[in-house]
């Protein structure tokens, strides 16, 4: 059975290339302790929608220990290769009865489904924060309406690559909800506090726009219906820092006419290092008779990259008419050429006139 680990939206900042230098975007909305980062762990096929009660993650919360909860809704850490850091994580139970959790550290990645921030499961192989961070205990029981604090040790190996290493400290409920309905489901809920770790060394922001594709659809008869196109590409973070990319889509027709210029809105605000996401944009009102050059330009502080593709907008009916006209013209030209050839051959085969003897 496949598993899906998704970190649901919460009072989290925008992309953090390192420790925050000021109040991150959206932090003011995160001043309420009830809106803490939450992690939904669904032990069900990825095509199965999450059950309705999965939003009931306000039963417990996980956050870094601080004088005020809202002051540290996530871990923002810096370390050099070979350095060891110590911190504390708090697990708060807001229900009336005791809850027992499995506490572990996990690596983060961008989901292919919605480009969101997700973490590896406890049984998956960890290479970053998930392998370097260790809570003092892997199992904790929190009484009702109480908070338990657990020390966390993070040992950065000497061979660690510089740059950003995102992850989370996760409290996974040991109980399994059998679910309801005809389809048997096993759902385990979890809550996690994000970890933004930057390892000292050279940083390289870099983006790549890959595999640009344009799918064009238009009516059979020009003007009788709308023409649409779908532009897609893969956005790849090839650097070692988390990026907040902006992607612009432009299209130019014959003679350099601008057909389209827009900024894509469905772009992840946190594209993690090494991650790829697939972007798709619909274009209504695409040309019906033109040659279009489509360009996608991705940019972030310190990096900018473009790639494109072209397509020919030619209605099928017009194409058939042009093809038929060309075929008829070709046939007529061939027949005319053959007729001239036959007439020339007939002239060459005609006997020459024999002169008669002159009379004396």
């Amino acid at each position: 059975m496949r598993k899906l680990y998704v970190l649901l939206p919460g009072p989290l900042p925008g992309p953090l290339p390192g420790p925050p230098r000021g109040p991150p975007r959206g932090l003011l909305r995160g001043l309420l302790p009830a809106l803490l980062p939450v992690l939904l762990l669904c032990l069900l096929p990825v095509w199965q929608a999450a059950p309705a009660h999965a939003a009931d993650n306000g039963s417990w919360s996980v956050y870094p220990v601080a004088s005020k909860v809202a002051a540290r809704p996530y871990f923002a850490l810096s370390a050099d290769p070979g350095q060891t850091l110590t911190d504390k994580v708090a697990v708060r139970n807001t229900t009336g009865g005791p809850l027992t959790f499995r506490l572990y550290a996990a690596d983060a990645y961008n989901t292919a489904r919605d480009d969101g921030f997700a973490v590896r499961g406890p049984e998956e192989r960890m290479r970053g924060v998930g392998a370097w961070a260790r809570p003092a205990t892997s199992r904790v029981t929190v009484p009702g309406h109480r908070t338990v604090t657990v020390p966390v040790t993070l040992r950065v190996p000497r061979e660690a690559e510089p740059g950003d290493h995102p992850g989370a400290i996760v409290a996974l409920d040991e109980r399994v909800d059998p679910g309801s309905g005809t389809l048997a489901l096993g759902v385990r809920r979890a809550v996690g506090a994000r970890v933004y770790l930057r390892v000292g060394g050279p940083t390289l922001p870099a983006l790549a726009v890959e595999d640009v594709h344009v799918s064009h659809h238009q009516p059979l008869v020009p003007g009788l219906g709308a023409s649409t196109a779908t532009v897609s590409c893969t956005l790849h973070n090839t650097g070692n820092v988390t990026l907040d990319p902006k992607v612009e889509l432009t299209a130019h027709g014959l003679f350099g006419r601008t057909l389209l210029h827009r900024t894509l809105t469905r772009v992840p605000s946190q594209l993690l290092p090494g991650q790829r996401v697939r972007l798709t944009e619909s274009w209504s009102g695409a040309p019906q008779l033109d040659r279009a050059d489509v360009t996608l330009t991705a940019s972030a502080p310190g990096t900018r990259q473009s790639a494109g593709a072209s397509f020919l907008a030619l209605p099928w009916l017009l194409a058939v008419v042009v093809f038929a006209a060309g075929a008829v013209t070709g046939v007529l030209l061939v027949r005319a050429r053959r007729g001239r050839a036959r007439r020339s051959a007939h002239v060459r085969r005609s006997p020459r006139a024999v002169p008669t003897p002159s009379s004396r």
Side-chain angles (χ1 to χ4, degrees):
M1 181 179 292
R2 299 183 63 184
K3 304 178 182 63
L4 179 65
Y5 305 85
V6 181
L7 190 61
L8 296 179
L12 296 169
L16 293 179
R21 300 178 181 177
R25 186 174 54 190
L27 183 57
L28 294 180
R29 295 194 303 271
L31 296 180
L32 296 177
L35 297 178
L36 292 169
V38 288
L39 175 73
L40 174 65
L41 172 62
C42 300
L43 303 184
L44 61 155
V46 295
W47 48 263
Q48 176 66 32
H53 63 272
D56 188 18
N57 43 43
S59 298
W60 70 94
S61 57
V62 182
Y63 52 88
V65 172
S67 57
K68 294 182 180 180
V69 174
R72 290 185 73 198
Y74 56 91
F75 292 91
L77 308 173
S78 294
D80 293 326
Q83 185 178 355
T84 298
L85 302 178
T86 58
D87 211 316
K88 294 181 179 180
V89 64
V91 182
R92 178 172 177 78
N93 179 5
T94 58
T95 68
L99 294 176
T100 300
F101 304 100
R102 178 177 178 180
L103 202 60
Y104 72 97
D107 294 343
Y109 65 99
N110 289 105
T111 63
R113 184 179 63 177
D114 58 5
D115 307 331
F117 186 105
V119 297
R120 306 291 177 189
E123 74 285 353
E124 296 184 67
R125 181 181 177 184
M126 308 293 181
R127 295 179 174 85
V129 169
W132 306 339
R134 285 291 181 270
T137 179
S138 60
R139 187 174 182 270
V140 60
T141 298
V142 184
H145 302 294
R146 299 289 297 275
T147 300
V148 173
T149 298
V150 178
V152 177
T153 302
L154 193 152
R155 295 182 174 88
V156 181
R158 294 185 180 278
E159 65 276 9
E161 297 182 358
D164 292 342
H165 297 269
I169 305 297
V170 182
L172 170 64
D173 191 353
E174 289 193 339
R175 299 171 300 175
V176 178
D177 186 348
S180 59
T182 58
L183 182 62
L185 301 176
V187 179
R188 299 176 69 185
R189 294 185 298 160
V191 175
R194 298 191 190 191
V195 177
Y196 294 92
L197 170 67
R198 168 161 290 186
V199 176
T203 57
L204 175 65
L207 282 170
V209 181
E210 305 167 343
D211 191 23
V212 179
H213 179 73
V214 181
S215 177
H216 185 236
H217 309 279
Q218 61 186 41
L220 183 64
V221 180
L224 299 182
S227 178
T228 62
T230 302
V231 183
S232 60
C233 74
T234 297
L235 189 60
H236 185 193
N237 184 346
T238 57
N240 62 357
V241 293
T242 301
L243 298 175
D244 180 9
K246 308 299 180 186
V247 181
E248 291 185 348
L249 170 62
T250 58
H252 293 88
L254 293 174
F255 312 110
R257 296 178 300 107
T258 300
L259 304 175
L260 180 68
H261 186 188
R262 72 173 62 159
T263 299
L264 273 59
T265 57
R266 297 181 180 179
V267 180
S269 60
Q270 291 185 345
L271 184 58
L272 306 180
Q275 296 295 300
R276 290 181 172 89
V277 296
R278 190 68 180 172
L279 305 179
T280 302
E281 184 74 6
S282 298
W283 176 11
S284 60
Q288 299 189 18
L289 183 58
D290 207 336
R291 183 186 183 278
D293 296 317
V294 176
T295 303
L296 285 157
T297 302
S299 62
T303 179
R304 184 180 179 89
Q305 185 65 257
S306 298
S310 301
F311 70 94
L312 180 63
L314 183 63
W316 286 107
L317 182 59
L318 181 59
V320 170
V321 170
V322 171
F323 177 79
V328 170
T329 302
V331 170
L332 294 177
L333 290 175
V334 170
R335 288 183 177 179
R337 190 177 297 112
R338 289 178 178 177
R340 289 195 299 268
R342 285 196 297 269
R343 288 194 295 271
S344 298
H346 178 73
V347 171
R348 287 195 298 269
R349 289 196 300 268
S350 298
R352 295 181 178 179
V354 179
T356 56
S358 58
S359 60
R360 295 182 178 178

